[in-house]
Amino acid sequence: MWVNKNKKKILRAVEKFGTPLYIYSEENLLKQIAEYKKAFRGIDVLFCYALKANSNRHLCSLIAGRGFGADVVSGGELRAALSSGFRPEKIIFSGVGKTEEELALALRKNIFFINVESFEELEKLDETASRLGKRADFSIRINPDVDPHTHNYIATGKSGSKFGVDFEEASRMYSWARKRVRLNAVSAHFHLGSQLFSPVPYRKAFKKLLKFVSSLEKSGINLKSLDIGGGWGVKEGLDMGSPAVIAEIIRPYAGKYSFIMEPGRSVTASSGILAARALYRKTSGKRNIVILDAAMNDFIRPSLYGASHPVLNLSGGKGKKVRADIAGPVCESGDFFLKDFKTVLPERGDVLVILSAGAYGYSMSSNYNLRPKPAEVLLKKSGVRLIRKRQSYPEII
Ligand code: LLP
């Protein structure tokens, strides 16, 4: 685990840049990227990193530099992807509510394809492409109705969700698009949800997709690539498990199609931590409570999904263990990192780090309670580099 190996560097970064502070390991990030490449060796696959997990420009540049493309879901992310060096022909654009301005931007930038999520969006895309005199390369996001067995808020591939369209609607859309000169179908896509730890849902959905694509082929619609989405899970406190089990599902079709995969969390989660200091201790009834200087506005996953991210005390933590709630200063009872956590009671000023905060950490942070967003630093072999400044009060007031 890179955190234990880099304890001194982390503590020095905290001294220099203050807390709360997001700290990332370059070495660990490159390791996850290498893991993906190794697992899919021999398959024509484009990894489109889902920027929503972490869109820091410096991290994105590292990922783009290793040949990855990008999966974006807004005009903001599209701009961020381009400015971090992702090549336009490796960028795909998903999302249920793209505005005309966003569609136009994607067309003007000649990205790989737009992942269309409804018939009405397809009509809007056709209209926008005609207005701009451009060809719109598109894919359709299909909802394959497969249960991803994950938290409800991050499950997307079941019937009834707002994402994608069912196979019948997708079929009508591809057929309609065939008659439109501006529209060019290049792919079909599914994304089942996030925090998937088993290949089984991928296998089920992929089987359905193959059946669908071969029925399209019979009617003369030939798609070159298939997009199997992201979602590969990361257990809090650990690196991702090998994605080779997913590669093996598609490998038999490697000669026939090219593939796209859209990993987000699994690329960055384990490479980031959120460092905070213990401010105060108190008791409430029988409970010990430790208040940190980081809060749900900095890292919302425990509050929003009940996610249990391990917390380590890097300053000491020797002595008798007690049970304590680790909470933040925000005025909500939902503002906590861990409940009833068995730990040595931290001293005031101790540095605690929340693990696996590299994905959906900073990118979901907010200014709630008018708290400035934290700074971000990157640990490199050559030293520590500030990759985003802490927000200042004038910026947020
Ligand atoms: N592709 C699409 C179309 C997506 O909607 C997502 C994530 C991904 C790829 C990347 O999924 P990943 O590999 O990161 O699981 N905020 C939540 C996660 C929301 C995921 C939304 N979509 C969390 O903190 O757990």
Side-chain angles (χ1 to χ4, degrees):
M1 174 38 139
W2 66 270
V3 177
N4 292 323
K5 260 186 10 206
N6 287 280
K7 205 166 132 179
K8 278 196 186 131
K9 261 192 188 171
I10 293 169
L11 290 171
R12 274 203 303 272
V14 164
E15 281 301 324
K16 184 160 176 199
F17 299 102
T19 48
L21 180 69
Y22 274 99
I23 303 173
Y24 305 102
S25 157
E26 180 178 70
E27 190 185 354
N28 201 74
L29 176 63
L30 297 179
K31 209 173 95 190
Q32 310 310 305
I33 291 173
E35 188 74 34
Y36 262 108
K37 290 190 170 176
K38 195 174 109 200
F40 285 76
R41 199 169 286 152
I43 300 175
D44 179 3
V45 62
L46 174 66
F47 298 110
C48 288
Y49 167 64
L51 255 79
K52 61 173 82 67
N54 190 323
S55 49
N56 182 288
R57 207 159 162 258
H58 296 262
L59 302 183
C60 284
S61 294
L62 278 174
I63 299 166
R66 294 300 180 286
F68 274 43
D71 167 51
V72 302
V73 291
S74 69
E77 284 190 359
L78 176 52
R79 287 175 172 88
L82 290 166
S83 96
S84 336
F86 287 104
R87 305 252 304 269
E89 66 274 18
K90 290 186 178 179
I91 298 178
I92 60 180
F93 192 172
S94 310
V96 289
K98 302 175 204 80
T99 64
E100 185 166 352
E101 188 270 332
E102 289 174 320
L103 292 172
L105 178 69
L107 291 173
R108 276 200 303 273
K109 296 295 178 188
N110 298 315
I111 68 168
F112 184 9
F113 62 74
I114 294 169
N115 214 353
V116 175
E117 304 220 17
S118 65
F119 212 130
E120 292 188 353
E121 184 192 344
L122 189 61
E123 288 171 339
K124 178 54 89 184
L125 180 62
D126 183 41
E127 203 182 294
T128 312
S130 304
R131 181 168 61 76
L132 298 178
K134 304 280 292 185
R135 186 191 71 198
D137 292 336
F138 75 96
S139 168
I140 293 175
R141 178 168 181 174
I142 298 168
N143 180 336
D145 193 20
V146 168
D147 191 344
H149 300 292
T150 185
H151 190 287
N152 257 342
Y153 289 4
I154 51 177
T156 53
K158 277 286 287 169
S159 175
S161 113
K162 70 173 176 178
F163 297 97
V165 296
D166 61 27
F167 285 108
E168 290 72 38
E169 181 81 332
S171 174
R172 281 191 288 275
M173 288 163 74
Y174 282 114
S175 303
W176 182 79
R178 214 175 162 197
K179 294 178 241 124
R180 317 298 301 176
V181 287
R182 296 286 171 194
L183 296 180
N184 180 41
V186 296
S187 184
H189 165 263
F190 65 73
H191 170 76
L192 302 172
S194 209
Q195 280 296 55
L196 274 64
F197 294 100
S198 157
V200 173
Y202 288 96
R203 192 174 304 121
K204 284 188 183 156
F206 186 62
K207 224 173 128 187
K208 288 187 170 187
L209 187 71
L210 277 178
K211 200 170 146 212
F212 173 71
V213 168
S214 62
S215 76
L216 285 183
E217 283 162 7
K218 284 191 195 105
S219 57
I221 299 168
N222 294 297
L223 303 177
K224 287 193 212 87
S225 70
L226 302 180
D227 181 345
I228 59 167
W232 191 230
V234 180
K235 295 233 159 68
E236 287 83 4
L238 299 175
D239 283 331
M240 67 166 160
S242 170
V245 282
I246 304 176
E248 294 325 307
I249 297 171
I250 61 174
R251 194 177 293 283
Y253 305 90
K256 183 152 188 213
Y257 303 105
S258 62
F259 289 94
I260 295 146
M261 200 185 167
E262 306 164 359
R265 183 190 326 264
S266 46
V267 179
T268 52
S270 64
S271 303
I273 57 175
L274 175 61
R277 281 196 194 269
L279 281 178
Y280 304 114
R281 290 91 45 90
K282 67 199 275 187
T283 53
S284 173
K286 288 196 176 122
R287 298 181 91 84
N288 290 300
I289 297 178
V290 180
I291 309 287
L292 305 185
D293 63 1
M296 66 188 286
N297 74 294
D298 305 303
F299 187 58
I300 203 172
R301 298 202 74 255
S303 307
L304 192 56
Y305 313 110
S308 181
H309 288 254
V311 173
L312 302 181
N313 185 339
L314 297 190
S315 299
K318 290 199 183 71
K320 196 172 133 269
K321 289 202 169 165
V322 296
R323 290 200 171 267
D325 292 355
I326 311 288
V330 156
C331 302
E332 298 229 13
S333 295
D335 178 28
F336 61 84
F337 294 110
L338 283 176
K339 287 261 185 203
D340 219 19
F341 174 50
K342 211 166 165 210
T343 177
V344 174
L345 199 65
E347 295 298 323
R348 291 181 64 192
D350 276 3
V351 175
L352 277 72
V353 297
I354 297 150
L355 302 186
S356 303
Y360 305 110
Y362 192 96
S363 65
M364 293 183 82
S365 66
S366 75
N367 293 125
Y368 186 40
N369 278 204
L370 216 50
R371 292 166 50 85
K373 292 192 186 186
E376 295 180 288
V377 298
L378 182 61
L379 299 194
K380 296 164 75 78
K381 283 219 174 84
S382 54
V384 179
R385 178 166 175 208
L386 181 68
I387 56 170
R388 186 170 353 223
K389 277 201 265 180
R390 185 177 304 285
Q391 275 186 329
S392 68
Y393 286 109
E395 273 176 85
I396 63 170
I397 296 171

